[in-house]
Amino acid sequence: MPYYGKSAILLLLGGCTSASMAEDFDLFTLSLQDLLNMEVSVASKSEHFTLDAPSSVTVFLRKEIQSMGINSLEELMNFVPGFQSSRDIVLGSGHMIAGRGSSTPPTSYNLLIMIDGQRLSDDLSGGAGDLNHNIPLFNAQKVEVIRGPGSALYGTGAFSGVVNIITIKETSNGYLGLGNLGGFESYFNTTYKDENRSLSLSARRYTDDGEHYGAEVVQAVNPNVSSTHDPRDETDFYLAYSHGDNLQINARHMRRQLDDFFIRFAVHDGLNRRATQQDSIRTTYQVVNNDSWGLSFHGAYTESSIDVQFEATAGTPSPLAGTTQLESEWEIGLDSAFNFSPNSKWFAGANLRKPDIEKARILSDASGEMRATSSFVKEGSRDVLGIYLQNEYRFSDQLQLTLGLRRDDYSDFGVTTNPRAALIYSSNFGSTFKVLYGEAFRAPSIRQSSSTIVGNPDLDPETIKTQELIWFHKFDWGQFGATYFNSTHENKITTVPRVSLGLPTFDTPNIFTNLPTEVNTEGWELELLTMLGSEGTLRATYTLLNEVEPSPNRVPKNTFSLISSTQFKRWGFNLNAYYHDEMEMSTGVSTVVTLDDYWVVNSALRYSFSKKAAIIGRIKNLLDKDYFSSSAVGTSYPLGIPNRGRTYTLGVELNF
């Protein structure tokens, strides 16, 4: 395995030194060799093949994502062992991404999501999902996923897992597609390069009129509304500039508007609105970059805003209500990689983050005009200082050990330290064995700790300790893998009635608090990669959760997914599907209902006229399945949260 020279710092920054796949876009399927030898850097901030990575990892390459017809990260997570993505409406139409038996609100604050190493998560909500609905993959070269704790490298939020989306840097293409529900999507990626400079620009626009949901769904929530729909309006820009091997600048703009449908306890048509926007810029500079060691500095700034409007009291004609919030964050840091000996690799770094809540106001139109009436969280900033150290030591070509430690100091709740360890043995008979241990934490979000409605300033961070045993074996026809994990959660943050803690109710009956008892989750993740005839591949996963969070269990105990791709001359066909077992949902103080299990089947067909042009057809929810998701605010939704039926698009892709 190569040791770190000039590529080390690029990997530390979340970049990728792999060659562009632009020349392969005329092919629809990946070879089995491609799937078995994928490289990943998110697991250790250094480049490894998936079998050598000191974590449980899943990787998707651009060609596979495109062949599936997948548009968003939320869709893709249903094909990651141990993870499930389902619709929820706590803060408006979004998705809860659950990991290894533990659910979250749609903020998905137990999963850290990054693009080229830049955090998408915000400190007000604690996760990326509050702002970034339908995270697009149109400019993704690769999606890397850690399954399990990642706080020893990445700090808060890297609790159940870490996702890093690596964007394309050397591709020029465009797409235009139309579909039912008034769907329209267009995007382009373009690159300019000379001897010392590179500039990549990506842009995307997506709109649709939404699915229609009738009285049988909405009138149980609001008898004054006969129907609703869920239109989407999405805009994305991304810019990546590099100068030589030293300077790199990434800038991103995202805007979403999701109208009508459900927002928390309110459903309406032509009234509800949720608009979010996030802008960020990240600059990195490599000070030292040679075969012995490297040192780089980075600085980043992010600004995020959310504006929400809905009917103040669900079920009765009433004035409008809503919220408006604005937050920003500065971050500076350094990363280093160096070798003391041919068999020992060291990584160290530090970063300082300063998130600031500039505005978090409740809106009301009681006076006939929407105005801010009060703050719903404490406005101000917190300081977060993190340092990490990691060593990878190779005893031989077959045996390696990784040890790491990170310490984070929060100005508002204190210090947390999180270690990791990984022992990996690669045998001569095709099997690889991994023994992993990791700890992680999730800091209380600012909303949880200082909300004027349900906040609790005395919250402790959630923590998790995870042990994993992993076995992979390569066969002539492919590869099979099995992962066993056991996790212990402490200080899990939830809401409880104030009276249960002996507190007065004031204006609200609930408050955030830490559970006094541990929560255990445990299960198996099985993976299979194999050939599908002579011109195709099959990837399948099965997850069995023996222990999950206590009732209501909003995470399916059994999940299954498959991705099959075949190629015949200029034609390519993909069939992908996932299965979610039944789930529970609380519909009252002591009432829990069970929602039916379901399959979702998707397909994509591609015809390549040449390397430059192709026509692409996609069908999602091919069987037009009616299915419902579990919500964290299920009290007003006895049926669960409805999902879209069959949708289809037809588009043209051009490569320049």
Side-chain angles (χ1 to χ4, degrees):
M1 175 171 292
Y3 285 77
Y4 301 99
K6 295 184 178 180
S7 64
I9 297 301
L10 289 175
L11 294 166
L12 284 167
L13 301 174
C16 180
T17 57
S18 301
S20 169
M21 296 177 62
E23 66 272 19
D24 295 329
F25 280 0
D26 60 307
L27 301 177
F28 188 74
T29 61
L30 290 164
S31 70
L32 185 61
Q33 194 68 15
D34 289 331
L35 292 171
L36 293 177
N37 292 289
M38 289 186 284
E39 293 181 334
V40 59
S41 59
V42 71
S44 64
K45 295 197 175 184
S46 61
E47 192 172 79
H48 291 274
F49 289 113
T50 52
L51 289 181
D52 295 325
S55 297
S56 296
V57 293
T58 298
V59 182
F60 297 94
L61 299 179
R62 178 173 178 80
K63 189 157 43 174
E64 185 175 23
I65 296 169
Q66 287 198 319
S67 73
M68 295 170 66
I70 291 291
N71 297 90
S72 70
L73 178 67
E74 290 90 332
E75 295 176 80
L76 188 65
M77 292 303 294
N78 284 308
F79 300 89
V80 177
F83 284 80
Q84 306 86 36
S85 175
S86 58
R87 197 174 203 179
D88 205 344
I89 45 77
V90 175
L91 302 165
S93 183
H95 285 79
M96 173 193 75
I97 303 177
R100 291 187 162 180
S102 180
S103 65
T104 76
T107 52
S108 298
Y109 47 52
N110 284 356
L111 180 70
L112 175 62
I113 300 175
M114 304 181 293
I115 296 182
D116 289 334
Q118 172 66 33
R119 298 172 63 98
L120 300 190
S121 301
D122 65 275
D123 275 56
L124 180 58
S125 71
D130 195 15
L131 288 149
N132 295 276
H133 301 293
N134 306 311
I135 300 170
L137 300 175
F138 74 102
N139 65 335
Q141 176 174 290
K142 182 163 57 173
V143 177
E144 303 179 342
V145 183
I146 291 178
R147 310 190 323 261
S151 288
L153 285 176
Y154 297 104
T156 185
F159 195 85
S160 298
V162 181
V163 176
N164 190 30
I165 301 171
I166 299 173
T167 62
I168 54 179
K169 302 296 191 298
E170 299 182 4
T171 294
S172 294
N173 71 342
Y175 173 84
L176 178 65
L178 301 174
N180 66 330
L181 307 183
F184 167 83
E185 182 178 21
S186 65
Y187 66 75
F188 72 87
N189 302 288
T190 186
T191 301
Y192 165 80
K193 293 186 69 174
D194 62 22
E195 185 175 350
N196 295 313
R197 295 170 296 175
S198 175
L199 177 65
S200 298
L201 178 65
S202 301
R204 171 181 176 266
R205 186 85 173 98
Y206 178 88
T207 61
D208 67 39
D209 298 329
E211 180 83 38
H212 176 269
Y213 304 92
E216 68 280 3
V217 173
V218 303
Q219 289 200 333
V221 182
N222 188 346
N224 297 311
V225 177
S226 59
S227 66
T228 189
H229 65 318
D230 57 358
R232 289 163 50 185
D233 189 319
E234 305 173 3
T235 302
D236 297 273
F237 290 98
Y238 196 85
L239 181 146
Y241 172 79
S242 62
H243 188 90
D245 295 329
N246 300 104
L247 178 65
Q248 184 172 338
I249 301 173
N250 296 320
R252 173 177 176 264
H253 167 79
M254 175 282 302
R255 189 181 188 281
R256 298 285 183 270
Q257 183 161 322
L258 306 176
D259 290 335
D260 304 320
F261 198 55
F262 300 85
I263 293 182
R264 197 166 175 81
F265 301 110
V267 59
H268 225 289
D269 204 51
L271 179 63
N272 289 351
R273 179 177 62 85
R274 179 176 177 83
T276 65
Q277 182 170 310
Q278 189 171 64
D279 298 280
S280 65
I281 185 168
R282 178 183 173 95
T283 301
T284 61
Y285 186 77
Q286 299 175 14
V287 181
V288 180
N289 189 14
N290 57 50
D291 292 336
S292 298
W293 74 294
L295 176 66
S296 72
F297 289 90
H298 69 265
Y301 176 75
T302 301
E303 187 170 281
S304 309
S305 65
I306 302 178
D307 291 289
V308 183
Q309 173 183 290
F310 53 89
E311 197 172 43
T313 304
T316 60
S318 66
L320 296 180
T323 60
T324 181
Q325 63 191 62
L326 176 66
E327 59 182 307
S328 60
E329 176 178 303
W330 286 96
E331 179 186 1
I332 57 173
L334 61 88
D335 295 282
S336 60
F338 45 95
N339 302 325
F340 285 146
S341 71
N343 294 327
S344 182
K345 317 166 193 178
W346 288 88
F347 298 90
N351 72 306
L352 175 65
R353 294 195 300 115
K354 190 177 183 64
D356 183 38
I357 309 304
E358 300 180 26
K359 179 173 64 176
R361 308 289 174 82
I362 296 175
L363 303 176
S364 174
D365 77 338
S367 61
E369 180 181 354
M370 289 288 281
R371 294 181 178 178
T373 57
S374 62
S375 297
F376 65 87
V377 300
K378 182 180 179 181
E379 297 172 0
S381 61
R382 65 168 27 157
D383 297 324
V384 185
L385 174 63
I387 57 173
Y388 72 88
L389 179 68
Q390 177 174 283
N391 176 251
E392 297 180 13
Y393 189 83
R394 182 170 290 274
F395 297 96
S396 67
D397 290 340
Q398 295 176 293
L399 184 64
Q400 66 180 45
L401 175 67
T402 298
L403 297 173
L405 187 72
R406 180 178 172 117
R407 179 183 174 92
D408 289 90
D409 188 347
Y410 278 70
S411 60
D412 50 355
F413 74 79
V415 176
T416 177
T417 303
N418 294 272
R420 71 178 303 196
L423 184 65
I424 303 173
Y425 175 72
S426 301
S427 72
N428 293 323
F429 51 87
S431 285
T432 297
F433 302 91
K434 300 182 184 182
V435 180
L436 310 178
Y437 175 79
E439 297 183 12
F441 79 102
R442 185 185 73 80
S445 71
I446 294 176
R447 182 181 292 151
Q448 290 174 329
S449 62
S450 69
S451 168
T452 58
I453 303 172
V454 291
N456 183 353
D458 296 323
L459 288 174
D460 293 321
E462 294 186 0
T463 63
I464 190 172
K465 300 176 181 178
T466 300
Q467 302 85 38
E468 299 177 69
L469 300 175
I470 304 170
W471 169 64
F472 277 96
H473 188 81
K474 285 187 177 181
F475 300 91
D476 292 338
W477 45 264
Q479 178 177 282
F480 176 79
T483 299
Y484 169 79
F485 72 89
N486 188 300
S487 298
T488 301
H489 307 241
E490 296 180 351
N491 295 324
K492 186 175 177 65
I493 298 174
T494 187
T495 54
V496 299
R498 287 179 179 268
V499 294
S500 68
L501 301 178
L503 300 173
T505 58
F506 297 114
D507 295 329
T508 178
N510 297 322
I511 188 173
F512 280 111
T513 189
N514 295 108
L515 285 179
T517 58
E518 296 178 347
V519 176
N520 295 313
T521 59
E522 178 250 344
W524 291 86
E525 299 163 350
L526 307 181
E527 305 170 69
L528 174 69
L529 293 171
T530 187
M531 293 295 297
L532 190 66
S534 59
E535 296 293 338
T537 56
L538 173 69
R539 183 200 288 231
T541 72
Y542 170 69
T543 300
L544 169 63
L545 298 175
N546 298 318
E547 288 190 72
V548 295
E549 63 187 7
S551 180
N553 168 30
R554 298 178 55 228
V555 179
K557 290 187 175 181
N558 292 272
T559 58
F560 174 80
S561 74
L562 65 86
I563 306 168
S564 62
S565 296
T566 57
Q567 177 89 22
F568 179 73
K569 296 183 178 179
R570 295 178 180 269
W571 291 93
F573 178 72
N574 181 283
L575 183 71
N576 60 83
Y578 59 89
Y579 167 79
H580 286 186
D581 200 359
E582 61 186 24
M583 292 176 286
E584 295 177 344
M585 183 177 70
S586 174
T587 58
V589 175
S590 59
T591 305
V592 174
V593 299
T594 300
L595 304 179
D596 291 339
D597 61 342
Y598 58 84
W599 279 92
V600 176
V601 181
N602 311 302
S603 65
L605 182 67
R606 179 189 187 100
Y607 178 77
S608 298
F609 296 99
S610 65
K611 288 186 176 183
K612 299 292 186 181
I615 187 169
I616 304 168
R618 302 167 179 161
I619 304 178
K620 296 182 180 178
N621 195 357
L622 178 66
L623 305 180
D624 201 20
K625 172 71 174 179
D626 291 328
Y627 64 102
F628 295 84
S629 305
S630 175
S631 175
V633 290
T635 305
S636 300
Y637 306 97
L639 299 177
I641 306 305
N643 289 263
R644 287 188 171 187
R646 183 189 298 122
T647 60
Y648 50 84
T649 60
L650 185 66
V652 176
E653 181 186 76
L654 300 176
N655 296 297
F656 311 114

